[in-house]
Amino acid sequence: MSICSEFEHLLEKMMADEIAPAETEQLRDHARKCDHCGSLLKLQEDLSAAGQMETELPSEDLQGVRYAVLRSIHLRSLPSTISTGRAGRTRVGLARLIWAAGLAAAVFVGGFFLGNFWSTSHGDPGSALIRQVYNDARKEKSLREVENSPLMYSNVSFSRVDDQKLSLSFDVARHVDLTAGPEDPLVRDLLIQALLNPSPLGARLKAISFAETNRDPEVKRALILSMLNDPSVAVRLKTESNLLNYKNDSEVQAAFLQVLRKEESVQLRLVALDYLVGNNVSQETLRAVVRDLRSQGETAVLRKAVAYLH
Amino acid sequence: MDRTDNILIQESLSGSMGAFDDLMERYQGLVYKVALSYGGRREHALDITQNVFLSVYEKLDSLRADASFKPWLLRITYHESINWLRKQRRHQDHEPVDENAPLLGRTHTQEEVLLWQEKAECLTRSLSCLNPKHRLAVTLKYYEGMSIREISGVLECSEMMVKNILYRSLEKLRQRLVQTGRVFQ
């Protein structure tokens, strides 16, 4: 075995943290004499040092990623005939219309998708949506008519598939006004979407108010997701206040435990603690909460939790 | 209340979104950092991270009860990163990695290492010359501090093979740095 081959063997042992001190000396000795092996050893040491530099994680962005994932999973599980939010936006390959129809979806913007068209359509709502989009686009229209079209496109992006085809990606919405009873499934869907899809702060707060009269379990889960993930503390406080009405509910209890562990707002954590104590949380769980709070250097919430323990 | 991966997985499979959120929170940094080594930019790494966790949720019930979550997660991260790279190439809008550009997301606060930081960022950028599998091995070894055994579990190959991959990666990186005139003394 040549000296450089021996060096390779020793360097592999070094990378695996299996090298003996005498072997390290042997390796360094050769590295000093051989430029090629010396630069490899230097590179190995530089990489080890580079890897130890801290990578600053974009915490808020990652929280947003988690929120988007949870929202997407939640929307997929909804039993409505048309689902998916931004994560499953309509993507139309011009030459793949039929295939795309199976994937197509709509995003609601303050209203209900395509109104009467949907209610009278017996086919796949995705196909119906795409037909509607194409029919509308094929009409002779002035600039003003396109601008004021009842179909509103947003979040539009284009990319080239090849010389003949473009891939189009967009959200489509149509505003409608109608009335429905408080127990109507449409009300449930709209409440959930208002809570979980990007919508103005006021719309989210109003949805939480209306959710107080709706005891659908999916609405409750949407409220839980909102309490745990909404970027606005005002929304989180309001959803928490709403969820206080769910007495001895295991899902809500688990959510309040998460609030105690993760929530930044002391006020939200104090309310969560009060709820848990008032809803028969076990002493064992409470002790675990105290341990967690103590390890986090918590003060106000910890004092209250300790007081509850005694 | 520090629940194990297995408990969180079981609870996630039972429908607990909170448990799945905990699982994501636990591994988001790892997934993001590996994704960053492929995506090169913060926004790309975030896209890949999101795809990884959606894929994890879809496939969670296929994870064997006796299998370890972390290597499985890293394999999904690897495959999602490869898919992302392929899509970028297909749409021909992939911005090639600029080895001179500052690496977004990496910062260090100690003044005495600022000069070293530049060198370290250059090294990290140079990883783009490695093939995806070798890049994963180097990232896990040097940036995540994983052992050869752990990496062999992720790559599903022998420890001997991992050592060989690392050595060959080192050689390739050295050649790359020589070609670009960035051999460090």
Side-chain angles (χ1 to χ4, degrees), chain A:
Chain A
M1 186 184 285
S2 73
I3 298 175
C4 289
S5 298
E6 176 66 12
F7 174 87
E8 177 181 335
H9 174 63
L10 291 175
L11 190 62
E12 284 182 1
K13 286 180 86 171
M14 178 180 259
M15 289 189 288
D17 300 320
E18 295 166 351
I19 194 165
E23 290 175 319
T24 304
E25 201 45 52
Q26 189 185 343
L27 179 132
R28 292 196 183 286
D29 188 48
H30 173 68
R32 278 191 286 273
K33 295 170 192 161
C34 172
D35 285 347
H36 176 264
C37 294
S39 60
L40 278 178
L41 177 61
K42 181 78 170 62
L43 188 53
Q44 138 82 12
E45 290 170 343
D46 283 351
L47 269 173
S48 296
Q52 300 206 353
M53 292 186 68
E54 286 176 16
T55 298
E56 189 179 280
L57 294 174
S59 304
E60 284 187 11
D61 289 334
L62 285 169
Q63 188 180 351
V65 163
R66 295 201 328 264
Y67 180 46
V69 170
L70 292 175
R71 194 184 62 200
S72 179
I73 293 168
H74 183 80
L75 292 176
R76 281 181 202 179
S77 70
L78 286 178
S80 53
T81 51
I82 183 162
S83 65
T84 83
R86 294 164 67 86
R89 286 179 300 140
T90 305
R91 185 169 289 279
V92 185
L94 291 179
R96 291 186 285 173
L97 179 58
I98 295 171
W99 174 82
L103 298 176
V107 167
F108 291 71
V109 178
F112 179 54
F113 154 68
L114 292 181
N116 293 332
F117 185 83
W118 186 23
S119 62
T120 56
S121 169
H122 300 294
D124 173 12
S127 303
L129 169 63
I130 292 183
R131 280 198 301 276
Q132 180 81 351
V133 165
Y134 270 88
N135 288 342
D136 186 67
R138 286 188 182 117
K139 289 177 192 162
E140 287 285 331
K141 292 194 295 281
S142 67
L143 174 66
R144 180 69 65 186
E145 285 169 325
V146 174
E147 188 184 1
N148 296 325
S149 167
L151 292 173
M152 292 175 284
Y153 303 129
S154 60
N155 209 9
V156 179
S157 70
F158 304 87
S159 60
R160 188 173 294 284
V161 177
D162 55 35
D163 289 343
Q164 304 296 319
K165 284 173 265 178
L166 293 178
S167 174
L168 309 176
S169 176
F170 54 91
D171 300 338
V172 55
R174 174 171 178 164
H175 191 92
V176 296
D177 296 307
L178 49 80
T179 58
E183 302 302 323
D184 194 299
L186 174 59
V187 173
R188 176 201 61 184
D189 283 12
L190 289 176
L191 282 174
I192 289 172
Q193 293 233 4
L195 285 169
L196 301 182
N197 276 348
S199 50
L201 179 64
R204 303 207 299 280
L205 291 170
K206 195 172 265 186
I208 297 164
S209 296
F210 279 102
E212 279 180 18
T213 56
N214 191 312
R215 284 308 180 102
D216 186 285
E218 296 301 329
V219 171
K220 178 187 72 180
R221 287 178 191 125
L223 284 168
I224 287 174
L225 281 171
S226 167
M227 177 178 72
L228 295 176
N229 296 298
D230 197 286
S232 160
V233 71
V235 170
R236 299 202 302 276
L237 276 166
K238 198 167 172 66
T239 42
E240 184 183 53
S241 167
N242 187 317
L243 286 166
L244 292 175
N245 298 322
Y246 290 82
K247 303 292 182 196
N248 296 316
D249 182 301
S250 60
E251 281 182 285
V252 176
Q253 283 185 354
F256 277 118
L257 276 171
Q258 281 204 67
V259 168
L260 270 181
R261 290 174 51 234
K262 292 184 183 173
E263 174 58 50
E264 290 173 6
S265 158
V266 174
Q267 190 181 346
L268 269 142
R269 293 205 303 272
L270 286 170
V271 172
L273 182 62
D274 286 341
Y275 171 90
L276 289 168
V277 172
N279 284 271
N280 305 321
V281 70
S282 70
Q283 287 281 303
E284 187 187 351
T285 306
L286 203 53
R287 271 194 289 276
V289 166
V290 167
R291 273 200 303 277
D292 267 12
L293 293 172
R294 201 164 267 147
S295 69
Q296 291 165 15
E298 181 55 64
T299 53
V301 185
L302 176 63
R303 275 201 298 275
K304 194 164 188 180
V306 169
Y308 274 133
L309 260 183
H310 299 301

